[in-house]
Amino acid sequence: MTQDKRGGVAAAGRPPAGPQDARHVPLTRGQRLAQDAAEAAELRAYQTDPDVIALRVERVRSQVDRLCWAGIVCGLAFTMTNVQTFAAAGAAAWSLPWLAAWLLDPTVSVVLLAILRAEQVTARYQVSTGPWVRRAKRFTLAATYVMNVWASFATGSLAGIVLHSVPPLVVFVAAEAVTDLRDKLTEAVNAAFAEAVHRAGPVVHERPRTPRRSFTDYLADARRAWTPGTEVTPAWVREVTSCSRGLSSRVAAALAEEVRS
């Protein structure tokens, strides 16, 4: 250590403390605004980053999936006892037919859940599925509904029909809606990413992106692919145009109207 002229001791390798080090110099208003502007610019740069935007939409997608799955599972669990009663047909409790009747509802529900789980992946990457997938989903939902309300129909109980119709119908609507929701959330991720990249300006050596196609473009593609005798369905439209599930219904309706006229 060394000793300065005022008799103070300074650490070795450090200059003696001066009068300006003994007090804090407050920032001016302009300096504070400059710091706030720099901090805001840094925060905005991260908020508008394409990956951050995509991550936010992915979190929303996960929340939607969890909520829909919770509602579907609760609805199927509610219908289990009614289906068991329908299958047991008055058999004595704990008898073999009574026990076997508990397997009917899980048989249908497990197949339905497997289809919905597969659609969760295909919708994420906007891959269209075949017609048998939708038929299987609707058949399992219809079977669950019929077995659930049959006893109420047989006794003519309107209250029972309403009570036991709500859970299967909610499951049916949720199963149909969740696929479209996942498809639209995927489109939201792509749109948000494209918008963020556009705001950020051109990137050197970036691969050119395919421009977003409109309803008119998909309709024109379907019109060119259609031949006399071809049945116009949303599945066929998705196959020939590769459009989303939600848009394929609109394109199919418009093309079918043109064909009829």
Side-chain angles (χ1 to χ4, degrees):
M1 293 189 296
T2 60
Q3 184 175 8
D4 60 12
K5 294 182 179 180
R6 295 184 302 278
V9 178
R14 295 179 57 186
Q20 67 276 13
D21 297 325
R23 61 186 179 85
H24 173 71
V25 180
L27 297 176
T28 64
R29 184 178 180 183
Q31 291 173 331
R32 289 197 299 270
L33 289 176
Q35 287 185 348
D36 293 342
E39 182 179 355
E42 182 181 5
L43 181 61
R44 179 174 175 78
Y46 283 109
Q47 288 178 338
T48 57
D49 184 86
D51 291 329
V52 174
I53 295 175
L55 178 61
R56 288 177 177 175
V57 181
E58 288 289 347
R59 289 175 178 173
V60 174
R61 187 210 304 273
S62 299
Q63 294 173 0
V64 171
D65 280 340
R66 286 195 294 267
L67 293 175
C68 286
W69 275 107
I72 291 173
V73 171
C74 290
L76 292 176
F78 179 85
T79 64
M80 182 177 296
T81 56
N82 296 318
V83 174
Q84 192 275 342
T85 303
F86 169 81
W94 302 106
S95 63
L96 186 60
W98 186 88
L99 294 174
W102 283 106
L103 299 177
L104 179 58
D105 186 77
T107 300
V108 178
S109 298
V110 168
V111 174
L112 174 61
L113 293 176
I115 296 173
L116 295 179
R117 183 67 182 93
E119 285 188 338
Q120 185 178 20
V121 179
T122 57
R124 177 185 180 89
Y125 298 101
Q126 295 183 315
V127 177
S128 59
T129 55
W132 277 105
V133 175
R134 184 171 292 271
R135 293 171 188 169
K137 181 170 64 174
R138 291 181 175 178
F139 174 78
T140 53
L141 290 169
T144 300
Y145 175 80
V146 172
M147 292 186 294
N148 194 59
V149 301
W150 184 263
S152 299
F153 272 112
T155 58
S157 173
L158 295 179
I161 293 173
V162 174
L163 174 64
H164 299 303
S165 294
V166 171
L169 291 178
V170 169
V171 172
F172 176 80
V173 173
E176 291 292 335
V178 70
T179 303
D180 290 337
L181 285 175
R182 292 172 186 143
D183 188 47
K184 295 303 179 183
L185 286 173
T186 300
E187 291 185 0
V189 172
N190 296 335
F193 188 89
E195 181 180 355
V197 171
H198 177 72
R199 286 200 305 265
V203 180
V204 180
H205 303 304
E206 183 184 21
R207 295 178 60 186
R209 296 184 177 275
T210 303
R212 297 185 62 191
R213 309 193 67 199
S214 64
F215 170 80
T216 306
D217 298 330
Y218 287 119
L219 179 58
D221 290 346
R223 189 184 297 115
R224 286 191 295 267
W226 182 83
T227 56
T230 302
E231 182 182 1
V232 180
T233 62
W236 176 82
V237 170
R238 290 194 299 271
E239 181 180 355
V240 299
T241 65
S242 300
C243 68
S244 64
R245 181 182 297 274
L247 190 60
S248 62
S249 300
R250 294 175 52 199
V251 175
L255 182 59
E257 184 66 23
E258 292 182 4
V259 172
R260 284 194 298 268
S261 60

